[in-house]
Amino acid sequence: EVQLVESGGGLVQPGGSLRLSCAGSGFTFSSYDLSWVRQAPGKGLEWVSGISGSGGSTYYADSVKGRFTISRDNSKNTLYLQMNSLRAEDTALYYCAKEGDAFDIWGQGTMVTVSS
Amino acid sequence: DIVMTQSPDSLAVSLGERATINCKSSQSVLYSSNNKNYLVWYQQKAGQPPKLLIYWASTRESGVPDRFSGSGSGTDFTLTISSLQAEDVAVYYCQQHYSTPYTFGQGTKLEIK
């Protein structure tokens, strides 16, 4: 079964840092681009960042550029999102998603709350 | 950035009736090299992650019931549910997968009348 499982969310103070992880299984991890998509409570979906299968190309939404860093370790079948300088508006459920010509597989998400 | 706009924001349809959701992109999402529209539809039920329904504007994902269909090209797209079932209550999102930053519509909440 193709599966993505996120972890690493939690409560963090404004200005703090957090690293999210996403473990993939059931598919050839290194062959697929992956993305992080977030959803603030009661709101819609926002693409945050994406990375190519090799990890050589990365992409960011303007809202997180310079603060978040996406990376992957294909030997561990794991995707990461390093989040620095967190703001209240970063509070959201963060999903990782596998890419084809769409986001075809989604994890269950990990919640990040930025609050003092 | 490509802006995606859905209409309506919410919709109430009787069981067995047709539901139609529209999505408009601020620029074409038609990739000329393969003549495919990089427009995607997702369904999100309460407390669940989004589920892929349709990609390339009209290709149904494996396992998606055939009452779901997508149409359109260029900048204007439609998701149609031909005969609404109770399990179709959800929020539906369109998304352009043409270029980064990938962008989503604001969502359409579909309820039973």
Side-chain angles (χ1 to χ4, degrees):
Chain A
E1 180 193 6
V2 176
Q3 196 172 10
L4 295 168
V5 179
E6 303 93 337
S7 61
L11 174 62
V12 61
Q13 292 188 338
S17 298
L18 211 55
R19 189 176 83 153
L20 306 184
S21 299
C22 171
S25 60
F27 63 101
T28 305
F29 191 80
S30 60
S31 295
Y32 291 93
D33 296 356
L34 297 168
S35 274
W36 289 98
V37 177
R38 68 185 180 184
Q39 187 168 34
K43 302 297 184 183
L45 300 166
E46 179 189 17
W47 176 82
V48 172
S49 182
I51 188 168
S52 62
S54 67
S57 297
T58 57
Y59 310 90
Y60 298 94
D62 285 346
S63 57
V64 306
K65 203 171 294 183
R67 300 187 299 123
F68 289 11
T69 302
I70 192 171
S71 62
R72 65 192 295 163
D73 185 339
N74 287 340
S75 70
K76 296 181 178 179
N77 285 4
T78 303
L79 171 72
Y80 302 101
L81 185 68
Q82 177 66 44
M83 304 186 295
N84 299 332
S85 304
L86 282 161
R87 307 166 179 166
E89 54 264 35
D90 295 319
T91 294
L93 185 62
Y94 283 74
Y95 296 104
C96 62
K98 171 179 164 288
E99 288 189 54
D101 288 309
F103 298 126
D104 55 5
I105 299 294
W106 297 66
Q108 291 295 313
T110 187
M111 187 68 201
V112 172
T113 303
V114 184
S115 175
S116 55
Chain B
D1 297 3
I2 300 175
V3 177
M4 307 299 293
T5 305
Q6 291 180 228
S7 62
D9 290 335
S10 64
L11 182 62
V13 174
S14 300
L15 289 172
E17 296 300 305
R18 178 184 301 259
T20 301
I21 299 170
N22 299 301
C23 176
K24 188 174 184 65
S25 57
S26 61
Q27 63 189 76
S28 176
V29 297
L30 175 63
Y31 197 45
S32 56
S33 64
N34 60 9
N35 202 37
K36 293 189 184 299
N37 287 280
Y38 281 76
L39 188 284
V40 186
W41 290 99
Y42 301 93
Q43 174 194 64
Q44 188 178 31
K45 296 182 179 180
Q48 296 183 20
K51 173 189 173 184
L52 173 62
L53 291 178
I54 288 170
Y55 58 97
W56 295 338
S58 61
T59 300
R60 216 177 294 115
E61 174 73 338
S62 175
V64 173
D66 61 6
R67 64 180 180 273
F68 291 91
S69 63
S71 62
S73 184
T75 62
D76 291 278
F77 301 91
T78 299
L79 174 69
T80 301
I81 307 172
S82 59
S83 177
L84 190 71
Q85 305 299 303
E87 61 265 32
D88 300 333
V89 169
V91 178
Y92 292 83
Y93 294 93
C94 64
Q95 179 236 333
Q96 62 84 11
H97 212 77
Y98 180 84
S99 64
T100 58
Y102 298 129
T103 46
F104 294 84
Q106 79 275 21
T108 295
K109 185 175 184 179
L110 177 59
E111 299 173 314
I112 304 294
K113 186 186 291 184

